[in-house]
Amino acid sequence: MLFDTHMHCNMSCDSHMQYEDAMRVAKEQGIGMIVTEHWDYDYPTNPEEFLFDLDEYMRIAKKFRSDDVLFGIEIGMQRQTAKRDEKVAASVGFDYVLASIHCMGGRDIYEPTCYTGFTRQEIIDEYLADAIYCLKAHDNFDSFAHIDYICRYWPYEGDERELHLEDNPQGFDELFKLLIAKNKPIEINTRRLDDEKAYAGLVPLYARYKELGGKFVTIGSDAHYEEHVGRRIDLAVKMAKDLGLVPIYFKNRKQMEVDN
């Protein structure tokens, strides 16, 4: 069974989806699902906005968890939060810990002001440097999310909107080699895959990951609404197959191969 390994429900402040709705849609599509509620220490615009009651979350997980419905967390890494992040990742019985970059240099990537006063190249270099630093400082995670997260929000269009290997080949190689050395897969995030330029831009990145020795990917919709659960998962599977990468998911923090 394919798993949508990235979605947000009741505990994520920016979600508009209930657990029951996510489960219903996943079941209708014949896919499994992993809830990955947001956890971001020191969020720039509101330090406590993306935190929640872990004990309550585990009570909910106990109620709904099954072979096809799993519960994890998405931890937004920052340079200064590594020790606290690692502690949270180990604190309760998650199925899956997804590591993300939502901020850089103490700035919120979602906000337009994040890019004020910087060139595109400076932003790319900082984005990769922060990701590399954080991945070195974090070990207790299972996969690295949405490498193209910044492409959603920065002020560029056309080809400049996408990340390209040639933007910083050394930086991309260091990031991919780090994941491979830690035996961590990378996520194919499906949010932007219906955009032909986005799809075309991502293929060389994942191809390079494969070329350097990467083998596995997780697939996640990043759904915050029920209509987005499982979105474009077929395109992600095609991308993985074309590149020779194997889709996986995690259960009890153990890697599971997809049976499809």
Side-chain angles (χ1 to χ4, degrees):
M1 176 182 283
L2 285 170
F3 269 74
D4 182 340
T5 66
H6 186 170
M7 65 181 69
H8 302 280
C9 297
N10 305 48
M11 292 291 186
S12 294
C13 66
D14 58 349
S15 175
H16 303 267
M17 176 168 62
Q18 303 296 309
Y19 295 110
E20 294 90 342
D21 296 328
M23 290 186 290
R24 172 179 49 80
V25 175
K27 184 176 181 180
E28 289 171 354
Q29 296 186 23
I31 61 174
M33 56 174 272
I34 307 180
V35 182
T36 51
E37 301 289 33
H38 282 298
W39 187 277
D40 289 67
Y41 278 122
D42 296 352
Y43 203 75
T45 51
N46 186 331
E48 297 184 359
E49 187 173 22
F50 290 100
L51 304 175
F52 55 88
D53 186 322
L54 289 168
D55 290 335
E56 182 182 355
Y57 185 44
M58 286 298 98
R59 287 193 291 270
I60 293 169
K62 185 176 181 180
K63 177 181 178 181
F64 291 123
R65 190 177 183 274
S66 68
D67 287 342
D68 303 336
V69 179
L70 305 176
F71 284 78
I73 192 168
E74 180 185 7
I75 293 180
M77 302 180 293
Q78 294 192 67
R79 289 178 181 246
Q80 76 280 11
T81 65
K83 289 183 179 179
R84 287 178 288 166
D85 293 341
E86 295 286 274
K87 187 176 180 180
V88 168
S91 64
V92 295
F94 299 119
D95 283 299
Y96 178 50
V97 176
L98 181 62
S100 301
I101 295 291
H102 296 137
C103 305
M104 60 184 188
R107 310 188 308 280
D108 182 357
I109 289 172
Y110 175 82
E111 297 291 336
T113 52
C114 178
Y115 312 100
T116 303
F118 298 92
T119 66
R120 181 179 180 277
Q121 188 63 54
E122 287 171 338
I123 290 293
I124 292 169
D125 294 346
E126 184 180 14
Y127 181 58
L128 290 174
D130 266 27
I132 291 165
Y133 183 100
C134 289
L135 289 171
K136 286 180 178 178
H138 291 73
D139 288 311
N140 200 341
F141 69 96
D142 300 312
S143 184
F144 179 57
H146 46 46
I147 195 169
D148 62 331
Y149 180 76
I150 199 168
C151 302
R152 302 178 187 178
Y153 306 116
W154 63 355
Y156 301 104
E157 300 295 336
D159 288 340
E160 283 198 331
R161 184 179 182 184
E162 305 307 322
L163 292 171
H164 305 283
L165 279 174
E166 57 267 27
D167 288 329
N168 187 333
Q170 182 177 352
F172 282 114
D173 274 11
E174 185 174 357
L175 189 154
F176 295 147
K177 288 177 180 178
L178 181 57
L179 289 173
I180 293 163
K182 286 176 175 276
N183 195 30
K184 308 293 188 183
I186 192 169
E187 178 187 79
I188 298 178
N189 191 282
T190 69
R191 175 164 172 165
R192 304 176 62 244
L193 292 188
D194 61 336
D195 183 325
E196 291 183 4
K197 286 185 178 293
Y199 191 101
L202 284 168
V203 166
L205 297 181
Y206 292 114
R208 182 57 176 165
Y209 168 74
K210 167 67 174 178
E211 183 180 0
L212 291 171
K215 298 177 181 179
F216 303 105
V217 292
T218 54
I219 294 174
S221 66
D222 207 352
H224 291 64
Y225 297 82
E226 62 180 89
E227 57 266 31
H228 293 158
V229 173
R231 61 179 165 183
R232 298 184 275 279
I233 199 170
D234 56 330
L235 293 176
V237 171
K238 180 182 185 303
M239 180 187 289
K241 182 178 179 180
D242 289 347
L243 294 172
L245 293 165
V246 180
I248 60 170
Y249 68 99
F250 286 80
K251 181 178 181 180
N252 290 324
R253 302 299 303 278
K254 295 179 180 179
Q255 180 175 309
M256 312 290 288
E257 291 197 19
V258 171
D259 181 17
N260 61 349

